[in-house]
Amino acid sequence: MSTPTHRPFLSVAELGQRLGVSKRTAYNLVNEGAVPVVQIRGVNRIPAAALETWIGDREREALDAVRSTR
């Protein structure tokens, strides 16, 4: 099942699908404050645009780490 990219916010379960991790891991990332989250009527939602930026930042960090070990 693919995550709809046209929606501005994702659920925590959709976050897990987008990252390829379990729902429990996605909830842990949210609870730890590791990913961008907003609360809408007391429900955690992940802004899709902010998540894409967050993923890009993690990719750049990983690439920089690989480059610095060469």
Side-chain angles (χ1 to χ4, degrees):
M1 182 173 153
S2 64
T3 302
T5 56
H6 63 281
R7 291 182 33 226
F9 297 97
L10 304 174
S11 69
V12 178
E14 290 169 329
L15 168 67
Q17 290 173 349
R18 174 66 180 90
L19 297 179
V21 299
S22 71
K23 192 158 75 166
R24 173 57 25 217
T25 297
Y27 274 97
N28 287 342
L29 289 168
V30 167
N31 291 334
E32 294 166 2
V35 295
V37 175
V38 296
Q39 283 207 342
I40 301 173
R41 293 188 171 228
V43 177
N44 288 324
R45 291 291 182 240
I46 296 82
L51 179 61
E52 292 308 313
T53 300
W54 182 85
I55 290 170
D57 291 346
R58 303 295 79 73
E59 288 173 344
R60 278 187 291 287
E61 289 172 6
L63 288 172
D64 289 346
V66 169
R67 289 182 186 127
S68 69
T69 60
R70 290 184 182 170

